[in-house]
Amino acid sequence: MDSIAVIDFGSQYAHLIANRVRRLQVYAEIFLPETPLHVFSKYKGIILSGGPNSVYEKGAPTINPKIFSLGIPILGLCYGHQLIAHLLGGKVEPGQTKEYGLAKLSVLKKVGIFDNLRDHTQVWMSHGDTVTALPKDFIHLGKTPDCFYSAMGNPARKIFSAQFHIEVTHTVDGMKMLSNFLDICHAKREWSMERFMEEKITSIKKMLGDRKVFLLVSGGVDSAVAYAMLSKALGTDRVYGLFVDTGFLRKNEGKKIAAALRKIGVKNFHVFSAKKRFFSALRGVINPEEKRKIIGDLFLEVQAQAVRKLKLDPEHWVLGQGTIYPDTIESAGTKYADKIKTHHNRVPEILELIKKGRVIEPLAELYKDEVRKLGTQLGLPDSMVWKHPFPGPGLAVRILCADAEKLPENTSAAEENIETFLMPHRLSGKILPIQSVGVQGDARTYRNPLAVWGENINFDEFENLSTALTNRFQVINRVCLLLAPQKIHSIKILPGVLTEKRVHLLQELDDIVMTFIQKNHIERDTWQFPTILLPLSINGIKREAVMLRPVCSEEAMTANFYKMDFMLLKKLVAKLAPKVSAVFYDITNKPPGTIEWE
Ligand code: XMP
C-alpha cells in the first residue's frame, strides 16, 4: 500500500499531519529526523513537520541533506520549510515580527501544492523565524502581509514548502494543498477502515495460530474496540476480557460495557469486583497523591491476582492491549502523552513479552478518530465509541476529601485585594477552604480555588478575568463561577473521606451530567466533562457542593474551559441544585489548572 513518511521535528502537529494524510486515504507514519535514509525508499512522499527550534541554532534537529536527492517528493511545513531553505542554500533569519494566528495568503503561482487554488485564502501561522532568500531554482509561490516567502517550490524536483501549517483546520484550503501533494507523489488512495479491518483480521489469525488472548478491558474506547476487534477475528471463545471494578467507576459502568459487547455478540467478558479492598485500603486517606499511589499499587496487585486465578498457561495465551499509535511513537510531540499512558502499556515486563511475541495490539497503527470509526464499523454503540477519557483512579480523584478547613495564611488580606480587583466588574469572590492540583510551567501546584459571583458577564470576559486573577494572586490556582445559589454567605467544611456513600452521591450527580450532555450533543464538543464532589456546605445547607469542569482539548496537554450555552447550563443546574448546597463551574484553563482536580 502506498504510504507517506512524516518526519517529526518536535512539533505538536506531527500527528495531525499523519492523521490528515490518512483522512485523504493514504497511509502515513511518523519518523524521527535521525532515521537512516534507506528506510524512506519505500515511501511515496516525505513531509517535514514543524518544530520549536531555529534551524540555524547549534544542535537544532536536522536531516541528512541527501534526502533531497532520493527523488521522492518532499513537503516542508513551518520548520520543515525553513530547513529546506537552510539546507539547499537559501537563507533563514529571525523574523521582523513573530507571527501567530490567521493570515491572508496571496497565491502567486498556481502550481504544485497550490494547483487549482483560489487567488487568496486564509492560513494559520505560528513562527518566529522567516525564510529571507530562496534556494537556487526555487520559485516563490505565496506571500502574506508579514511573511514574504510564505511558500516556495521546485516543481522539477517535486519539493514544496510552506511557512504556515496546512494541517490545521484554520488553514481553510489546507486539505486541498495536502491532496495536491499526494497527487504529486502519485500516492494511490487505498487506506480505508474497511481494508484495515480485513487485513487486520488476517494478520491477527496468522500471529495467534491457535493461541488465545487475555485482555484487560478498562472501560475506555481503546480497550473496548481492541476487544471487539480480537473477538471478531478469533471468535468470542478465544478472547477472555477482564474488567476490574475498583468501586470508583461511573454509575453502572461494568454493566454498560457488558451490554455494549453482548450486543455485538461478544460473551466472554468477566467482571472482577475488588470494591471492598479498595475502600479499605483508602480508609481515612485525604492527600490526592497518596490516594493515587494506593490505587495504582493495589490495581496492579488485584490485576495480578485475578490473572493468577485464571491459571493461564503462557504457551497458549497472549496478552491483548488497546495501545494506539500515538502511544507507540517516541518523539518530542508525544512525550507528554507517554508520561500519562505508557506506564501501563509499555512497562518493562510488557516490553519483555512483546519481544517474545506474546502481546497483540490490534490498534497500534491507529489514531483515536480511526479507533472510533473502527468501533462503529464493528457495531459498538455511539455511547461506547464516543466516550470521554476517564482517569485510571476514577471517581476517587473527583471526590475531594477533607478533615478541616485549608486556607492560605493571609486569606483575609488576599480576599481584600481580590475584592478590590473584582469591584469594577461588579463581582464578588471568596477563597474556598479546600485545595486542588494545578500546573504552572512544569511544576505542580496545590492551592485554593477562588469562587466568584455577581452580575452576568459572558464567558469570554470570564476567561480574561480568570487568567488575570490566577496570574496576580499566587494563593489561588483556579477560578470558579458560582451558578447556584446566587451568593455565598457562609462556607463550612463537611469532613469526609472516600466512602461508598460519597461515591454513590457523585455517581448520581455525574450520571445526571453525562446523560444531559449526551442528550444535548455536547459530548463531542468537549474533551472531558468531569463532575467533582466538594466537601463544602454553602450557606448553612447540610449537603455537599458540586463542581462542573468541562474542557476542550487536543490530547490533554493544554485545555480551555468549555463555554457552555448559558440557557442549557441553567437547565443542568436546575437538575443538580436540589441535591447539593452549591453548583460551581470551573473557568480555569490548563495551565494554570489541570483538567482533574486531584
Ligand atoms: P490533568 O488532570 O493532568 O489530566 O490535566 C490530563 C489527562 O490525563 C487524565 N488522567 C489520567 N489518566 N490515569 C490515567 O489513565 C491517571 O492517573 C490520570 N490522571 C489524569 C485526565 O483525565 C486527563 O484526560
Side-chain angles (χ1 to χ4, degrees):
M1 186 166 37
D2 288 355
S3 309
I4 298 291
V6 178
I7 302 184
D8 181 7
F9 291 99
S11 165
Q12 295 183 46
Y13 298 113
H15 279 296
L16 203 54
I17 300 170
N19 187 253
R20 294 285 188 266
V21 172
R22 290 180 184 197
R23 284 192 201 177
L24 292 167
Q25 293 180 289
V26 178
Y27 189 63
E29 284 178 77
I30 307 239
F31 293 91
L32 288 174
E34 47 273 23
T35 308
L37 283 193
H38 68 85
V39 173
F40 298 119
S41 59
K42 66 171 188 180
Y43 290 84
K44 292 296 234 184
I46 299 170
I47 301 181
L48 312 179
S49 86
N53 301 73
S54 287
V55 288
Y56 46 77
E57 262 170 17
K58 225 178 138 207
T62 189
I63 32 162
N64 183 342
K66 288 190 187 137
I67 199 164
F68 299 109
S69 311
L70 294 175
I72 302 173
I74 291 180
L75 172 64
L77 301 174
C78 195
Y79 185 86
H81 168 69
Q82 295 163 11
L83 197 60
I84 292 174
H86 183 66
L87 293 174
L88 292 180
K91 202 164 177 192
V92 180
E93 291 176 284
Q96 301 269 319
T97 40
K98 311 249 177 254
E99 207 182 3
Y100 300 100
L102 300 178
K104 188 173 166 189
L105 177 81
S106 303
V107 175
L108 304 175
K109 292 220 167 53
K110 296 186 184 179
V111 296
I113 55 170
F114 289 169
D115 191 24
N116 263 321
L117 227 64
R118 47 188 142 178
D119 297 339
H120 301 281
T121 181
Q122 177 190 294
V123 297
W124 192 81
M125 293 275 195
S126 168
H127 66 116
D129 292 346
T130 303
V131 172
T132 51
L134 299 183
K136 194 168 166 281
D137 299 329
F138 271 66
I139 51 175
H140 188 190
L141 295 179
K143 62 175 184 182
T144 66
D146 284 323
C147 178
F148 186 65
Y149 292 121
S150 280
M152 62 181 190
N154 181 329
R157 294 178 70 183
K158 299 188 177 174
I159 303 173
F160 294 90
S161 66
Q163 181 55 66
F164 49 90
H165 288 267
I166 75 170
E167 69 276 22
V168 303
T169 47
H170 302 299
T171 297
V172 175
D173 291 315
M175 285 302 261
K176 170 81 188 140
M177 296 172 199
L178 196 56
S179 181
N180 280 339
F181 178 66
L182 298 179
D183 287 343
I184 294 164
C185 299
H186 298 294
K188 286 197 234 50
R189 319 268 171 140
E190 295 173 325
W191 162 256
S192 71
M193 204 38 74
E194 289 79 13
R195 179 159 169 186
F196 172 84
M197 198 166 109
E198 273 168 35
E199 287 181 0
K200 204 70 200 173
I201 288 174
T202 314
S203 75
I204 292 172
K205 282 182 176 160
K206 197 167 150 205
M207 176 185 163
L208 270 281
D210 51 13
R211 292 182 294 179
K212 297 177 187 173
V213 183
F214 168 80
L215 183 100
L216 272 169
V217 182
S218 69
V221 183
D222 303 342
S223 62
V225 175
Y227 184 57
M229 181 69 209
L230 289 164
S231 300
K232 168 119 184 150
L234 302 169
T236 182
D237 290 342
R238 285 176 60 199
V239 189
Y240 189 102
L242 183 71
F243 179 78
V244 175
D245 186 355
T246 58
F248 300 117
L249 300 162
R250 293 197 142 125
K251 190 177 171 183
N252 295 331
E253 186 69 37
K255 283 186 195 147
K256 282 183 190 160
I257 301 165
L261 291 170
R262 254 199 318 273
K263 225 171 125 191
I264 58 166
V266 171
K267 294 178 216 87
N268 207 0
F269 175 74
H270 308 263
V271 178
F272 186 86
S273 175
K275 275 188 201 179
K276 285 212 175 86
R277 288 187 65 182
F278 278 90
F279 277 110
S280 75
L282 287 158
R283 199 169 292 142
V285 178
I286 286 173
N287 182 287
E289 285 307 297
E290 219 178 306
K291 274 190 201 171
R292 277 179 175 274
K293 168 119 187 54
I294 294 172
I295 295 171
D297 290 350
L298 187 56
F299 191 84
L300 292 178
E301 217 181 290
V302 168
Q303 178 186 320
Q305 186 201 4
V307 175
R308 269 197 308 275
K309 259 180 138 176
L310 292 173
K311 294 197 176 75
L312 307 180
D313 152 20
E315 285 310 306
H316 296 103
W317 285 87
V318 167
L319 178 71
Q321 296 207 111
T323 317
I324 68 171
Y325 193 51
D327 306 336
T328 66
I329 298 293
E330 225 183 285
S331 70
T334 54
K335 269 186 188 147
Y336 186 87
D338 282 350
K339 250 198 233 160
I340 301 172
K341 290 180 121 187
T342 311
H343 61 268
H344 50 262
N345 282 354
R346 285 287 181 275
V347 291
E349 292 83 351
I350 301 272
L351 291 174
E352 198 50 38
L353 283 178
I354 290 177
K355 259 199 233 152
K356 290 183 187 154
R358 294 247 173 84
V359 177
I360 183 154
E361 298 181 317
L363 314 180
E365 293 103 329
L366 301 185
Y367 283 104
K368 195 77 167 189
D369 58 321
E370 295 166 340
V371 172
R372 293 197 156 118
K373 216 167 158 185
L374 177 63
T376 303
Q377 207 167 292
L378 286 161
L380 289 171
D382 275 6
S383 57
M384 182 87 237
V385 165
W386 286 96
K387 235 178 189 185
H388 285 161
F390 190 65
L395 297 183
V397 289
R398 292 183 180 172
I399 297 176
L400 266 60
C401 300
D403 50 3
E405 282 198 346
K406 288 265 178 336
L407 278 167
E409 268 174 27
N410 44 359
T411 303
S412 43
E415 275 189 339
E416 222 167 275
N417 290 334
I418 290 172
E419 195 77 19
T420 313
F421 184 92
L422 290 174
M423 205 119 55
H425 304 280
R426 290 193 275 182
L427 294 171
S428 306
K430 206 149 183 54
I431 295 178
L432 299 177
I434 46 172
Q435 292 180 315
S436 82
V437 174
V439 57
Q440 246 148 1
D442 281 331
R444 173 188 190 271
T445 61
Y446 192 48
R447 293 183 189 154
N448 294 71
L450 174 75
V452 296
W453 64 93
E455 289 179 24
N456 265 352
I457 57 173
N458 65 43
F459 270 143
D460 289 327
E461 288 174 58
F462 272 130
E463 185 163 27
N464 293 333
L465 206 65
S466 158
T467 309
L469 281 162
T470 45
N471 280 341
R472 191 155 171 161
F473 300 102
Q474 297 295 308
V475 290
I476 56 165
N477 61 359
R478 287 180 196 268
V479 183
C480 318
L481 186 60
L482 177 73
L483 298 174
Q486 282 182 338
K487 323 182 147 145
I488 296 181
H489 303 295
S490 70
I491 310 177
K492 254 196 140 60
I493 280 281
L494 292 172
V497 288
L498 287 170
T499 56
E500 287 203 55
K501 195 169 159 214
R502 292 189 79 203
V503 171
H504 187 70
L505 171 61
L506 181 56
Q507 281 177 333
E508 291 302 320
L509 298 170
D510 177 72
D511 191 53
I512 293 173
V513 174
M514 294 318 283
T515 310
F516 186 86
I517 69 168
Q518 275 160 14
K519 262 202 189 127
N520 291 286
H521 312 290
I522 296 173
E523 207 177 16
R524 293 189 202 186
D525 298 344
T526 48
W527 164 263
Q528 271 172 304
F529 202 134
T531 302
I532 297 135
L533 194 63
L534 309 179
L536 295 176
S537 155
I538 304 293
N539 297 348
I541 300 168
K542 291 239 161 359
R543 282 196 290 267
E544 301 212 41
V546 72
M547 177 71 57
L548 302 175
R549 176 51 168 157
V551 292
C552 302
S553 178
E554 299 223 1
E555 299 305 329
M557 285 182 277
T558 58
N560 289 80
F561 74 85
Y562 174 61
K563 295 171 184 166
M564 190 163 163
D565 177 83
F566 257 95
M567 293 312 286
L568 267 185
L569 188 51
K570 247 175 134 172
K571 286 187 194 163
L572 178 58
V573 172
K575 287 180 192 289
L576 296 167
K579 300 181 187 298
V580 290
S581 64
V583 182
F584 295 94
Y585 194 95
D586 192 341
I587 50 170
T588 321
N589 290 339
K590 172 183 177 175
T594 40
I595 296 176
E596 305 291 346
W597 268 51
E598 293 203 321

